[in-house]
Amino acid sequence: MTPVDLRLSDSAIETLAYFKARTRISRRWAENYNERTRLIMNLFFSIGSQVDSRTNLEIANLTSAIARDAQRDSSSMITIAAVTMVFLPGTFISALFSMVFFNTGRDEHGKATMEVSPLIWYYPVITIPLTILVFGVWEIWRRQRQAKSKAFDNLTATKDQSTAPPRLRLSTLESNTNPRARVPTMISSPK
């Protein structure tokens, strides 16, 4: 066997040094792309979380509006029930004890008769204006509550707009490395 010359020529050493440097550069690029990929994944996760948060806020606002509307409806029903409770007992008792508009009896032949009092006109003359008055007072009260509720809604809507988070928009990255890369940038929300 002939001995092998283990000495390398200068061009072989330069070639190995070139490949070693090239490998280091490629490794740095791979680590850089790996880090960029990780950052972009975190960015998209954060954007998704922001969208979910904004959706949850919108759902909460809508739920709050539904609750306010339900409260308005229930307060109207409570008002009607209260008015009914105020007038119903008195109406029942007066109807029970003052049936003077209709007199029943028997005539000289034994037939049942019913006479209507000439004062029956008092009933509609008093009942209709009183009913209109009660519903008028109730309507005025209901409108005042709605005005207060709308003022509160406007106040909370103004507060919600002023504290809204900025929106994200994708824009082209001005870079020599990759002109197609897109990076999110912050823009202010419209007012």
Side-chain angles (χ1 to χ4, degrees):
M1 217 173 190
T2 62
V4 178
D5 189 10
L6 293 176
R7 286 181 297 156
L8 297 173
S9 67
D10 287 339
S11 70
I13 291 174
E14 287 177 5
T15 302
L16 286 176
Y18 171 76
F19 283 131
K20 187 176 181 182
R22 193 74 180 142
T23 303
R24 267 195 307 258
I25 291 171
S26 295
R27 182 176 181 200
R28 271 189 263 148
W29 273 105
E31 288 172 355
N32 186 12
Y33 280 128
N34 187 22
E35 183 66 19
R36 287 174 87 183
T37 303
R38 188 182 62 76
L39 288 174
I40 289 173
M41 287 173 51
N42 287 338
L43 173 71
F44 285 130
F45 178 75
S46 296
I47 290 171
S49 295
Q50 285 181 357
V51 169
D52 287 346
S53 295
R54 184 172 289 134
T55 302
N56 289 337
L57 283 174
E58 290 172 2
I59 290 171
N61 287 336
L62 291 174
T63 303
S64 175
I66 290 170
R68 281 192 300 274
D69 290 343
Q71 181 184 11
R72 285 185 201 129
D73 290 344
S74 68
S75 67
S76 295
M77 294 306 294
I78 289 171
T79 304
I80 291 171
V83 169
T84 302
M85 287 188 293
V86 167
F87 286 105
L88 189 61
T91 304
F92 175 73
I93 296 298
S94 67
L96 190 63
F97 290 117
S98 66
M99 296 281 190
V100 295
F101 293 127
F102 302 99
N103 293 324
T104 59
R106 303 219 175 253
D107 64 3
E108 60 270 356
H109 301 295
K111 281 178 75 178
T113 62
M114 184 171 88
E115 295 177 11
V116 177
S117 171
L119 300 176
I120 194 157
W121 63 273
Y122 282 160
Y123 181 76
V125 166
I126 294 172
T127 304
I128 292 172
L130 185 60
T131 304
I132 291 171
L133 176 70
V134 167
F135 277 102
V137 169
W138 173 74
E139 182 64 23
I140 290 168
W141 177 79
R142 188 182 67 81
R143 286 184 183 182
Q144 286 177 345
R145 284 193 51 141
Q146 282 181 342
K148 287 179 185 178
S149 178
K150 283 182 183 178
F152 179 75
D153 290 346
N154 291 339
L155 178 67
T156 56
T158 304
K159 181 181 173 188
D160 290 343
Q161 286 180 354
S162 65
T163 59
R167 295 182 300 132
L168 289 175
R169 176 179 69 186
L170 292 177
S171 65
T172 304
L173 177 66
E174 300 293 332
S175 171
N176 293 336
T177 58
N178 188 355
R180 293 184 184 201
R182 298 180 81 70
V183 175
T185 57
M186 301 298 266
I187 60 172
S188 62
S189 57
K191 294 190 178 186

